[in-house]
């Protein structure tokens, strides 16, 4: 005998038969409903033509939904591609900026000038003044 999990009591045979009958009736009703919906008597030319604007509207909504989905996916891919490009450009900027800072230090400039034969001045520059004579 089967056990009732809710009340933890054994079900009588009559109750089990009633439950089985109700389950079979509901299954039969479902089969009958599905057959009646798709039966040739329900789907006639008149009913199809009568509902044609609604069917066209549903098809238009489906097309809009599909195109919106494609547009959203394309936008997401484009955003992902652009964010990767921004990261790469940021890395390039940082590396070039660090390299420029290193090259513009006084010691690096002195090394490069030394290869050209230029020497760093040890004394401060002197100011040359030109005296203009006034003409009368």
């Amino acid at each position: 005998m089967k056990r009732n999990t809710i009340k933890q009591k054994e079900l009588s045979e009559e109750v089990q038969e009633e439950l089985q009958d109700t389950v079979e009736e509901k299954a039969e009703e479902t089969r009958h409903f599905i057959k009646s919906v798709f039966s040739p008597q329900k789907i006639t030319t008149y009913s199809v033509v009568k509902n044609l604007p609604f069917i066209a509207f549903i098809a238009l909504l489906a097309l809009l939904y599909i195109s919106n989905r494609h547009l959203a996916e394309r936008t997401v891919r484009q955003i992902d591609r652009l964010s990767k490009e921004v990261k790469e450009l940021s890395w390039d900027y940082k590396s070039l900026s660090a390299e420029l800072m290193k090259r513009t230090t006084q010691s690096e400039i002195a090394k490069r000038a030394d290869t050209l034969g230029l020497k760093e001045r040890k004394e401060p520059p002197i100011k040359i003044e030109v005296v203009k004579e006034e003409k009368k």
Side-chain angles (χ1 to χ4, degrees):
M1 229 179 227
K2 295 183 180 181
R3 295 189 54 87
N4 186 348
T5 58
I6 296 173
K7 295 181 181 178
Q8 298 295 330
K9 294 181 182 177
E10 292 184 10
L11 295 176
S12 65
E13 297 220 0
E14 295 87 27
V15 174
Q16 287 180 13
E17 287 177 17
E18 287 177 17
L19 288 174
Q20 186 66 26
D21 289 342
T22 56
V23 167
E24 288 176 2
E25 286 176 15
K26 290 191 182 221
E28 186 62 36
E29 287 176 7
T30 305
R31 281 190 221 111
H32 179 68
F33 174 75
I34 292 173
K35 285 181 183 177
S36 70
V37 167
F38 293 110
S39 70
Q41 294 84 16
K42 291 281 185 178
I43 302 175
T44 62
T45 308
Y46 174 73
S47 64
V48 170
V49 171
K50 179 181 165 193
N51 292 319
L52 195 58
F54 180 70
I55 293 170
F57 177 70
I58 296 296
L60 177 69
L61 286 179
L63 287 174
L64 287 174
Y65 178 76
I66 291 168
S67 65
N68 186 30
R69 178 68 182 242
H70 284 290
L71 179 65
E73 287 178 3
R74 186 179 338 135
T75 305
V76 166
R77 283 192 301 268
Q78 186 178 15
I79 288 171
D80 188 41
R81 181 179 49 82
L82 289 175
S83 67
K84 287 179 183 177
E85 187 177 341
V86 164
K87 281 182 183 178
E88 288 178 13
L89 290 174
S90 173
W91 294 335
D92 288 344
Y93 168 75
K94 289 176 183 176
S95 64
L96 289 174
S97 176
E99 186 178 338
L100 179 64
M101 291 300 286
K102 182 183 178 208
R103 285 187 176 191
T104 57
T105 59
Q106 185 177 359
S107 59
E108 287 293 318
I109 293 175
K111 286 179 188 175
R112 286 189 297 170
D114 193 35
T115 60
L116 297 173
L118 300 174
K119 302 275 184 194
E120 188 176 356
R121 246 180 112 91
K122 301 291 181 195
E123 53 193 53
I126 56 172
K127 184 175 182 181
I128 301 174
E129 292 183 17
V130 177
V131 180
K132 292 185 181 179
E133 295 181 13
E134 290 184 25
K135 289 187 183 181
K136 291 186 182 182

